[in-house]
Amino acid sequence: MPLSGSAEVPAGDLGSETGFQALAGRLAEIRQRIDEARRRGGAAQEVRVVAVTKTHGVDAVAAALRAGVGDVGENRVQEAIAKMGQADASLRWHLIGHLQRNKVREAARFALIHSLDSERLAEALDREALRLNRTFDVLVQVNASGEASKGGFGAGDVSRLADRLIGMSGLRVTGAMTMAAFGAGEADLRASFSRARTARDVLAAAGHPAGEISMGMSQDYEIAVEEGATLVRLGTILFGARETQ
Ligand SMILES: *Cc1c(COP(=O)(O)O)cnc(C)c1O
């Protein structure tokens, strides 16, 4: 069920009062739907909305914050950094796209990195954290749909990885993240989301402080919440269609 009017307000209007009111209205409806999905799922988890502002201007970031969303997601480091400089300092920035190892120096700017997708990246982040004498919060990205085009660890590799990550004291592994296959039917979505939930449980059982499951985008967030999502990453449904990617 598409949200009423979800595509009607172009992002360019977000700086205006009408644009903001429309965003606030959509958010209220989304929060209601999340609450209902949470009840259907029965896990009673807390669910946070991450507003995905990629390709949109800093207006979108400011409007999200004003509407009560303090978590924003970007998939590209450079684009995120450009917006951080113009945005409110209280925002929590989430990196939801691939982090290249030569950009680990920028990791410190993010509250949470959703996309830990290789052991080499884990090692590089661990080294950087130790260098800064701090820790980084990360989610293990799970390729739950098995699509070759998607990054992340296979569901079957998470157990071994969990043990490996215990030795990396610079990383706080706070959960798992996944992206469902584009256009997947409900049964496949549920299977993918349930694999991500299992991955989170495997990480927790290995001793990580893994409470989070980041899953669910504009098309599938209600099913993701029913399956236990604690972080939903919403772009299109909040800000309208993107011109690219
Ligand atoms: C773009 C993006 C989203 C948001 O997608 P929408 O369908 O616009 O809600 C969520 N997660 C990731 C990793 C993305 O790259």
Side-chain angles (χ1 to χ4, degrees):
M1 312 153 258
L3 197 62
S4 45
S6 57
E8 250 119 69
V9 179
D13 287 354
L14 279 167
S16 74
E17 194 53 30
T18 14
F20 169 73
Q21 290 303 337
L23 173 70
R26 285 197 296 277
L27 252 170
E29 187 175 345
I30 290 165
R31 289 199 190 287
Q32 170 97 38
R33 285 178 181 234
I34 286 175
D35 218 49
E36 288 161 7
R38 206 163 60 103
R39 243 174 280 141
R40 286 193 301 273
Q45 79 275 27
E46 246 182 68
V47 182
R48 255 188 305 158
V49 171
V50 177
V52 177
T53 47
K54 67 187 186 196
T55 78
H56 297 297
V58 79
D59 274 3
V61 175
L65 180 61
R66 209 184 135 205
V69 180
D71 293 275
V72 288
E74 287 280 337
N75 66 337
R76 296 193 176 166
V77 171
Q78 294 312 328
E79 187 179 340
I81 290 173
K83 289 174 199 171
M84 284 173 189
Q86 303 167 260
D88 193 276
S90 70
L91 284 157
R92 288 176 299 275
W93 292 85
H94 296 242
L95 184 64
I96 60 173
H98 175 64
L99 176 62
Q100 288 171 292
R101 273 180 295 129
N102 62 13
K103 296 222 174 84
V104 291
R105 288 263 161 132
E106 315 295 353
R109 297 170 178 264
F110 294 91
L112 181 61
I113 295 167
H114 292 228
S115 43
L116 183 71
D117 57 5
S118 75
E119 282 192 35
R120 292 180 74 192
L121 176 61
E123 285 159 6
L125 281 169
D126 184 44
R127 272 195 304 275
E128 175 67 3
L130 295 177
R131 189 182 74 80
L132 297 173
N133 194 25
R134 55 164 287 172
T135 57
F136 292 135
D137 285 4
V138 298
L139 303 179
V140 168
Q141 184 174 345
V142 181
N143 183 352
S145 66
E147 283 175 297
S149 61
K150 290 239 156 72
F153 295 92
D157 296 331
V158 174
S159 174
R160 196 190 61 82
L161 175 74
D163 290 340
R164 211 39 259 281
L165 291 173
I166 285 287
M168 299 191 196
S169 58
L171 303 183
R172 272 188 77 231
V173 180
T174 60
M177 176 271 212
T178 202
M179 266 188 279
F182 182 75
E186 183 174 333
D188 287 338
L189 288 174
R190 288 193 192 278
S192 285
F193 292 149
S194 142
R195 274 180 217 115
R197 191 176 60 228
T198 302
R200 190 269 316 263
D201 294 345
V202 166
L203 291 163
H208 294 286
E212 308 277 9
I213 318 177
S214 167
M215 60 187 186
M217 306 176 22
S218 292
Q219 294 299 321
D220 55 23
Y221 72 97
E222 287 164 280
I223 292 173
V225 169
E226 286 178 20
E227 296 293 333
T230 65
L231 291 163
V232 292
R233 310 178 308 265
L234 304 178
T236 310
I237 202 173
L238 292 176
F239 304 118
R242 290 178 293 271
E243 310 237 305
T244 49
Q245 37 139 12

